[in-house]
Structure formats: C-alpha cells, structure tokens
Amino acid sequence: MFFQKYIEPLLKPFRQAKSKVVQAKNVKGNIQVDVNRVKSMGKQGQNMAAQAKAQGQAANAAMGQAGAQVGAAGGAMQQAGAPGGAAPGGINPNPPIMTKGALFWKKKICSQCTNELDKTWDACPYCAQAAADAAAANAPKAPMKTQAFMVGAGGQASSMQLLGWLVPVQGAQRGELFQLSPASSIGTDPACTVVLHDKFMSGKHAEIKAEGGVWVLKDLGSTNGTYVNDKRVDKQELVDNDFIKFGNSLCKFKSL
C-alpha cells in the first residue's frame, strides 16, 4: 500500500492508454456491425429491385396481351359495323368536326370529307349519307329513302337523288339533323316524319316533297302558319339555306 501511493501516478498513463485501446476496439466492432448491417440491407434492396423488375416485365407483357386483344376486338366491331365506327365501305358516319378561324371567320370543317359545315351542325350529314349509301350498296334490296324522280320533256323518268335536311336553330332540338324523305310531314304528331316539340305547331303542320327535281314546301292548313324567310307561304319552292318557321320553331333548310 505504501508503494502503491507512489506507483499509481506512474501506472495511470498506461491504464488510460489501455482504456482508449479498448474503447477504440469497441468502436471498431460497432462500425463493423453497422457495415455488415448495411451490406445485408443492400442485398435485400437488390433482391427487392430484382423482384420489382420481374413484376414490371410481367405487367408489361400482360398489358401487351390485353392491348392486342382490345385491338382485335375493335377490328371485329368495325367489321361488324359497330355504331360510331367506319361503315363497311370504310366511311365513318360520324367523323370528328374541326373548327377553324375565329370570331366572324370561324368555320366548321369535317375532318373526313373536309366539307365546310353549317355553324349549327354538330355532325357531318355528307359523311352520314355517304356511309348510308355504302351500306346500301352491300344490301341492294334496301330502299333508298332519298330517291326522287324527275320527268323530262319527253315523258321519260330519269332517276336523280335529292338530299335534304331540316336543322332546328332554336330550342331544345337545336342542331339536330332531320333527313327528309321524298315526302316528309312536319308537325307535333308522332306519326310525322319530322316531329318538333312546339305547342304553337299543329299536329300535321306542313309537308316537304321532292317534285320535279326540287324541294317544295306546303302548309297543311296549320293554325299559326308556315313562313319562309319571314314570309308566310302556302306553297313555296325551297333552296339551300332557307329559314323556315313552323309555328314558333325556326329551322334551316339544307339540300344537295
């Protein structure tokens, strides 16, 4: 004990050095544990990435197969004449409508036939008629609803096709296309060819017929009359872009 009093100061630096060596070893051991843990996590991350890549490849393959099936189904629907698709002759009866220009120069153009359309139209009647003609060509026995006959000076009948439409420009039916037959009745009666919802119209208000290669409008004794370009008429030959008023319903007449 007497010598320890004098030896202790001499041994203290060695003990401190030993303590630091032990601490360093502990730190090194902890670092090695952390390194091993990071390596293990890295391997797990690589395995998870490989699994995700495999699952992604499987998903892409499944999407490719689904896309092929959808494409095949779409082709089958078009061949079957599905609504909204191309007709058997390759004509879409309802192609997208493009708008060109602005303000007063704004025009509606059919993206398929490139014809300029009336501003009140939301569909192309030219393509609709062309698609109907293509379908009729595949079924020759189907009657042509827009066929008229013009009698020449020699008394011989020559076939010519008259196409006409009524397009309401006001009310809930605005923009609808009513295709005319060789003899079309207009009124509120459900039996009419063109039925307009207007309480100021008569049940059978007027008729439009194809006569001698032209369209002729005739009032059928309606209560509130029939007007062409703001003029009341009993019978009137129609030309393209005429405005016709049946009761309180204003329509635009279009013809080819």
Side-chain angles (χ1 to χ4, degrees):
M1 294 295 293
F2 176 79
F3 294 102
Q4 186 175 0
K5 179 179 180 181
Y6 298 98
I7 294 174
E8 184 65 28
L10 296 175
L11 295 177
K12 186 176 181 179
F14 295 100
R15 289 177 178 173
Q16 291 179 345
K18 183 179 179 181
S19 177
K20 290 183 179 180
V21 169
V22 172
Q23 290 178 357
K25 287 183 178 181
N26 290 335
V27 171
K28 181 179 178 181
N30 292 334
I31 292 175
Q32 186 64 42
V33 171
D34 291 339
V35 170
N36 292 337
R37 185 180 300 170
V38 170
K39 287 183 178 180
S40 177
M41 293 177 65
K43 289 182 180 179
Q44 291 179 359
Q46 290 178 354
N47 292 335
M48 292 176 66
Q51 292 177 358
K53 183 177 181 181
Q55 291 176 355
Q57 291 176 348
N60 288 336
M63 289 177 64
Q65 292 178 356
Q69 292 175 355
V70 171
M77 288 178 65
Q78 286 190 353
Q79 291 178 359
I91 302 173
N92 186 350
N94 189 23
I97 304 301
M98 303 182 299
T99 301
K100 294 184 178 181
L103 299 177
F104 300 105
W105 297 274
K106 191 182 232 182
K107 296 180 180 179
K108 283 187 175 182
I109 306 293
C110 174
S111 61
Q112 181 170 251
C113 67
T114 68
N115 279 322
E116 183 177 345
L117 308 179
D118 188 86
K119 63 181 180 180
T120 61
W121 293 3
D122 295 323
C124 177
Y126 310 111
C127 291
Q129 184 61 43
D133 290 344
N138 293 332
K141 294 182 181 180
M144 295 188 68
K145 296 182 179 180
T146 56
Q147 188 73 22
F149 294 89
M150 182 175 180
V151 179
Q156 297 181 349
S158 61
S159 174
M160 66 175 297
Q161 191 174 16
L162 287 178
L163 301 178
W165 297 269
L166 282 179
V167 185
V169 296
Q170 295 175 346
Q173 293 173 277
R174 180 181 181 273
E176 291 187 31
L177 298 178
F178 293 96
Q179 186 170 331
L180 300 176
S181 62
S184 299
S185 56
I186 301 97
T188 58
D189 191 326
C192 290
T193 310
V194 178
V195 179
L196 298 176
H197 307 307
D198 179 7
K199 63 182 180 180
F200 296 97
M201 287 183 61
S202 301
K204 291 186 178 179
H205 194 99
E207 66 177 4
I208 299 177
K209 288 185 177 181
E211 298 180 357
V214 296
W215 292 104
V216 178
L217 168 69
K218 183 180 179 181
D219 184 83
L220 297 179
S222 63
T223 302
N224 295 314
T226 302
Y227 295 78
V228 176
N229 300 325
D230 294 328
K231 180 181 178 181
R232 185 164 183 167
V233 297
D234 291 325
K235 188 174 183 180
Q236 175 75 33
E237 180 180 323
L238 298 175
V239 296
D240 187 40
N241 289 325
D242 274 344
F243 283 96
I244 309 173
K245 188 175 182 181
F246 306 98
N248 202 32
S249 296
L250 183 63
C251 299
K252 192 170 187 178
F253 172 74
K254 297 294 296 183
S255 66
L256 295 177

